[in-house]
Amino acid sequence: MDYQNKLVLAPMVRVGTLSFRMLAAEYGADITYGEEIIDHKLVKCERRLNVASGTSEFVEKGTDNVVFSTCDEEKSRVVFQMGTSDAVRALKASEIVCNDVATIDINMGCPKAFSIQGGMGAALLSKPELIHDILATLKRNLDVPVTCKIRLLKSPADTVELARRIEKLGVPALAVHGRKIADRPRDPAKWDEIADVVAALSIPVIANGDVLEYDDFSRIKTATGAASVMVARGAMWNASIFSPKGKSHWEDVKKKYLRKSILWNNDVKSTKYTIKEMIAHHSCLELPEGKSINKADTLEDLARLYDLEDYFWTVKNIGPLTHNLNHVL
């Protein structure tokens, strides 16, 4: 994978499913990260081909619970992000999915209590030996590239030291979120500290933090010297942020996302969550629309709410052939 001058969709839990990744790519995202999947969950999965939707699904054994799904169309750009605290388990999980994705990425930046208490995410930042063990084990045993995404440490010097240690392990790129563990999204991202990492490394750095408009891609790139730029909330609120033509109206993007969710049979809970995040940012969930979404139990219910019933049944009746029909897409 080429990491120079790329627009990157960040990993986002409940948002970064196949339907949203395909939407982001259609608007111009070059690399699309999936939502973080915990290794404990993936090792309980088996791979299945879903002929009806044209996808490869990783399903929890003994259930119909789809943990991760992908398709051939995104194989060259999709990054599988994993939460882990154990090298052996990380390898076992990676071996299940590695033939269907472009890259395996280790989450070393999530500050949420669930991740930190489990020794995953940002908890790894203070465990360089474990980082070494995980990355070295994966690189030694996998044929796909292995990368990671980190946060800033307490001091710029500490961040640079860790980044250099990671670089020595042979990763092809490093994503850096310009916030520390204690920082919240409302706190400004520290682009200057990302720049310190860029200056210290020879591998491409992907800068992440406070990219909310298309012009921010060039702004953060100029400010940090990063090779590529990653966006999270800005894309969640309006995936057309990736388009050089300018943003589409969020209502149009919302409906297009629902069409993708129907097309790729996205989990209804993830679909509702993502739509509600769009509405909460641009409008208000207390209006009738938000209340109706809360009542929806299926994708068909959502299709009915947005006058997409004909589209829903066209997809259900034609199946994977719809992926090649422009009028349906």
Side-chain angles (χ1 to χ4, degrees):
M1 184 178 282
D2 179 12
Y3 293 96
Q4 294 291 340
N5 300 312
K6 302 301 181 185
L7 306 184
V8 185
L9 175 68
M12 290 181 282
V13 174
R14 293 186 295 276
V15 176
T17 56
L18 175 59
S19 56
F20 195 87
R21 298 194 304 268
M22 295 298 284
L23 178 67
E26 186 171 313
Y27 279 119
D30 302 300
I31 300 172
T32 53
Y33 281 59
E35 61 175 336
E36 178 197 23
I37 304 294
I38 305 302
D39 56 3
H40 283 288
K41 182 172 286 190
L42 192 62
V43 295
K44 299 175 183 177
C45 292
E46 59 185 1
R47 181 180 184 273
R48 296 180 190 171
L49 290 177
N50 187 327
V51 177
S53 60
T55 56
S56 298
E57 298 179 342
F58 297 84
V59 184
E60 193 171 350
K61 294 175 184 176
T63 75
D64 292 322
N65 179 34
V66 178
V67 173
F68 177 75
S69 65
T70 184
C71 65
D72 288 343
E73 295 171 55
E74 69 163 1
K75 186 175 181 180
S76 65
R77 64 173 178 265
V78 63
V79 178
F80 182 87
Q81 194 189 59
M82 184 188 307
T84 187
S85 61
D86 181 84
V88 174
R89 192 168 57 245
L91 176 59
K92 185 177 180 182
S94 298
E95 288 173 337
I96 294 171
V97 75
C98 65
N99 292 327
D100 290 278
V101 300
T103 302
I104 300 291
D105 183 84
I106 302 302
N107 182 346
M108 300 183 185
C110 182
K112 294 182 179 178
F114 171 81
S115 288
I116 292 180
Q117 290 170 4
M120 303 176 291
L124 292 173
L125 297 176
S126 60
K127 301 176 181 178
E129 294 81 9
L130 182 53
I131 289 176
H132 181 282
D133 192 21
I134 292 170
L135 294 179
T137 298
L138 296 186
K139 281 194 58 62
R140 189 167 56 245
N141 292 280
L142 299 177
D143 292 329
V144 296
V146 178
T147 59
C148 58
K149 181 173 184 282
I150 68 171
R151 276 186 175 245
L152 300 177
L153 277 71
K154 291 183 179 180
S155 73
D158 289 341
T159 307
V160 167
E161 180 183 355
L162 178 63
R164 282 174 169 161
R165 295 184 70 160
I166 291 172
E167 179 182 36
K168 288 179 181 178
L169 292 168
V171 298
L174 176 67
V176 181
H177 185 174
R179 290 184 174 88
K180 300 177 182 181
I181 294 176
D183 291 339
R184 299 279 72 87
R186 64 179 177 273
D187 297 317
K190 301 171 179 64
W191 289 3
D192 56 330
E193 294 192 29
I194 298 177
D196 292 336
V197 176
V198 173
L201 302 188
S202 58
I203 60 172
V205 171
I206 305 170
N208 174 218
D210 287 347
V211 178
L212 302 174
E213 302 291 341
Y214 184 81
D215 289 346
D216 291 334
F217 285 116
S218 59
R219 288 181 57 244
I220 190 173
K221 204 165 181 292
T222 299
T224 64
S228 294
V229 179
M230 175 182 282
V231 56
R233 292 174 300 155
M236 176 176 67
W237 294 330
N238 190 326
S240 65
I241 189 175
F242 292 104
S243 174
K245 298 177 182 178
K247 281 185 180 178
S248 300
H249 193 280
W250 75 273
E251 293 270 16
D252 297 329
V253 176
K254 177 185 64 179
K255 200 163 185 177
K256 196 167 189 178
Y257 166 69
L258 179 55
R259 289 164 70 94
K260 295 289 187 190
S261 293
I262 293 168
L263 182 66
W264 296 104
N265 195 32
N266 194 40
D267 173 67
V268 67
K269 291 182 180 179
S270 295
T271 304
K272 288 172 61 174
Y273 176 85
T274 303
I275 291 176
K276 286 165 67 175
E277 286 293 318
M278 296 179 191
I279 295 171
H281 179 71
H282 294 283
S283 180
C284 176
L285 286 171
E286 295 305 313
L287 296 175
E289 179 186 12
K291 294 179 180 179
S292 296
I293 291 172
N294 284 332
K295 294 177 182 178
D297 294 321
T298 65
L299 287 176
E300 184 181 358
D301 291 340
L302 290 173
R304 188 179 302 113
L305 176 61
Y306 289 100
D307 296 322
L308 289 173
E309 281 188 282
D310 289 345
Y311 177 83
F312 177 87
W313 287 111
T314 298
V315 169
K316 293 304 175 185
N317 291 331
I318 299 178
L321 293 175
T322 55
H323 301 164
N324 298 317
L325 298 178
N326 289 331
H327 73 280
V328 174
L329 284 167

